[in-house]
Amino acid sequence: MPPNDYATVEDVKAELGVDTPLDDSYDGVLARIITQVSRLVDRVTGREPGAYAVEEDSVRYFDGRASTELWIGELAAAPSEVAVAAMGDPTTYTVWDAADVVCWPYNAEAEGRPYLRLDIAPGSRHLSWLAGRRGIRITGRFGYSTVVPGDIERAVIIQAVRSFKRAQQAYQDVGAISELGQLRYVKALDPDVQLIVDAYRRFTV
């Protein structure tokens, strides 16, 4: 299944058609632009395609390090399954109870952020993540969020409108604003979009 886009054709048409509503003949072009801009936002912020609208579970494997903490990248919601290899055997996994694991940061979903780590829950019968390569199997929605954040959606709409308008000017690097008698340079991201993606940029150490 291809990764989700972060805005709809109707969203972009609503902004493009403030003065003159667009008919359906532009829908295909706008859909392609929205997909391209959505993937651009993924790349600029350092995330996988579709990370801001994850709908389906995927399975990922991690090495255990005999610790109570397991760093997992970004997980948009609590995992649907956590399984650990039996005695370090990466071919046989035992599914843990949901109560054995605590997602961190604790308030991530309420704050619209992803979980970054799974901890052994206090009182769990498991004392640590067992050491071993590929010893831990996590099933869940890996990515930043399950629902597109409002400002990411806004960034895609702004940049898609700008890309569509630039296409109408034969992709020139300078566009005219006839009402003001000014020239506008259109290279790089829109300044408002740049502010948004900078706030979401993912840094890895």
Side-chain angles (χ1 to χ4, degrees):
M1 179 178 178
N4 287 324
D5 294 337
Y6 303 144
T8 67
V9 169
E10 288 71 24
D11 293 332
V12 176
K13 284 173 70 174
E15 301 227 356
L16 282 168
V18 171
D19 298 318
T20 304
L22 296 179
D23 60 36
D24 294 344
S25 63
Y26 290 97
D27 286 6
V29 173
L30 291 175
R32 289 192 295 273
I33 290 174
I34 291 167
T35 297
Q36 292 162 2
V37 173
S38 297
R39 302 293 76 82
L40 175 63
V41 168
D42 292 329
R43 291 194 300 274
V44 171
T45 58
R47 290 187 169 83
E48 298 176 13
Y52 294 104
V54 184
E55 291 184 343
E56 297 183 345
D57 282 354
S58 61
V59 177
R60 298 193 182 181
Y61 295 87
F62 300 87
D63 295 341
R65 303 188 185 280
S67 168
T68 59
E69 300 175 348
L70 177 68
W71 293 90
I72 54 171
E74 293 183 335
L75 189 63
S80 56
E81 182 182 275
V82 175
V84 177
M87 301 302 292
D89 178 5
T91 62
T92 304
Y93 290 85
T94 299
V95 177
W96 284 13
D97 294 337
D100 289 324
V101 176
V102 175
C103 300
W104 184 92
Y106 307 122
N107 301 314
E109 275 197 270
E111 296 172 357
R113 296 186 294 152
Y115 293 115
L116 303 175
R117 196 178 74 205
L118 298 182
D119 296 347
I120 304 295
S124 170
R125 67 185 186 279
H126 306 289
L127 300 179
S128 69
W129 300 103
L130 298 178
R133 297 186 64 82
R134 284 176 60 92
I136 303 163
R137 186 184 71 201
I138 307 296
T139 304
R141 299 185 184 187
F142 285 91
Y144 188 91
S145 57
T146 59
V147 178
V148 183
D151 40 3
I152 290 292
E153 179 185 42
R154 185 65 188 154
V156 171
I157 292 172
I158 292 171
Q159 195 63 38
V161 168
R162 184 167 175 169
S163 297
F164 182 80
K165 290 295 188 181
R166 187 168 180 237
Q168 290 182 314
Q169 296 175 348
Y171 296 100
Q172 299 177 68
D173 289 332
V174 179
I177 306 177
S178 57
E179 294 84 354
L180 302 178
Q182 296 176 352
L183 295 178
R184 179 169 59 91
Y185 292 87
V186 295
K187 286 185 176 180
L189 292 174
D190 179 273
D192 291 339
V193 173
Q194 190 68 61
L195 286 173
I196 293 171
V197 297
D198 283 347
Y200 278 84
R201 196 181 299 275
R202 184 182 185 185
F203 296 97
T204 56
V205 179

